[in-house]
Amino acid sequence: MKKTVSDGGPVIIKKYANRRLYNTETSSYITLDHLAAMTREGRDFKVVDAKSDDDITHNVLTQIIMEEESRGQTMLPVSFLRQLISLYGDSMQAMVPGYLEASMDSFRRNQEQFKSAVEGAFANSPFANTPFAEIAKRNMAMFEAATSAFKAGAANDSTATSAPAAEGSEGEMRALRAELARLQEKVDKLAK
């Protein structure tokens, strides 16, 4: 649920001709980084042109994405961008926004279901106090880092970014694969 100003609506951000952004809630000038942080926090805001009062939220959010992508923290694959561009002017263009929004909602729901399934499976697992459990915790940390990067639109450098080197024996790896297969079955059941 998006947080609003006293449940009275979104925070109004005014954009002036000099590109400055003014937060009417805090009576202060802010940057695109501030708006990105507000988005990550779930704060609802509306950006309006200070002179014309036109809603320019879409343009500003697109600008935030472009800035994040230009910082080397790319999330949008080139093939996806090409496909998206090719849909402009196409007869299917009107359907794309709804489809993308539904896809993102589904991704978030699946992410939460997967996280719950993994946590539940390992809580009562016979592997709970084994090296396998430690590997599973690291894998969950990596999964959470990847999903937070998706949510935040930025890579999370403070958490593990690569799988640990083969730490255990090959038997532990087989056990890990078997447990992950069982978890995948649970996730598939939850998704139905």
Side-chain angles (χ1 to χ4, degrees):
M1 183 173 170
K2 292 187 177 185
K3 300 173 189 170
T4 59
V5 181
S6 304
D7 291 338
V11 176
I12 302 299
I13 308 295
K14 292 186 177 186
K15 185 171 184 180
Y16 290 92
N18 61 3
R19 295 184 173 182
R20 293 191 75 184
L21 298 166
Y22 184 77
N23 183 334
T24 60
E25 178 185 46
T26 61
S27 300
S28 62
Y29 287 98
I30 61 172
T31 65
L32 288 176
D33 288 337
H34 288 105
L35 289 180
M38 288 174 68
T39 301
R40 290 179 189 109
E41 294 166 359
R43 297 290 311 273
D44 194 13
F45 60 84
K46 179 179 177 181
V47 182
V48 295
D49 182 278
K51 187 174 184 178
S52 68
D53 211 32
D54 290 339
D55 184 348
I56 57 172
T57 307
H58 183 272
N59 294 348
V60 172
L61 291 173
T62 303
Q63 186 177 358
I64 291 170
I65 291 170
M66 288 175 30
E67 293 222 352
E68 292 290 343
E69 291 284 314
S70 70
R71 291 180 184 154
Q73 301 175 21
T74 59
M75 185 174 13
L76 302 173
V78 171
S79 61
F80 171 80
L81 293 171
R82 289 179 197 267
Q83 291 171 10
L84 190 61
I85 291 168
S86 71
L87 289 170
Y88 281 95
D90 187 89
S91 61
M92 301 297 284
Q93 179 178 345
M95 297 173 64
V96 173
Y99 174 79
L100 292 176
E101 190 170 355
S103 295
M104 289 299 293
D105 289 342
S106 177
F107 176 83
R108 285 191 185 104
R109 281 192 310 274
N110 289 339
Q111 169 194 348
E112 287 303 315
Q113 288 175 346
F114 178 77
K115 184 177 176 183
S116 295
V118 169
E119 288 172 350
F122 289 119
N124 299 318
S125 167
F127 300 108
N129 295 316
T130 66
F132 177 76
E134 187 59 36
I135 292 170
K137 286 178 187 176
R138 288 187 200 146
N139 285 343
M140 270 310 292
M142 288 187 313
F143 176 76
E144 288 173 356
T147 56
S148 71
F150 180 78
K151 286 180 189 175
N156 188 343
D157 295 333
S158 64
T159 60
T161 57
S162 63
E167 288 182 4
S169 69
E170 201 157 316
E172 288 174 333
M173 292 305 291
R174 281 193 297 270
L176 175 60
R177 287 185 187 107
E179 185 67 21
L180 289 176
R182 285 192 292 276
L183 290 174
Q184 182 62 47
E185 288 176 16
K186 286 184 179 183
V187 169
D188 291 343
K189 288 178 185 175
L190 288 172
K192 290 180 182 178

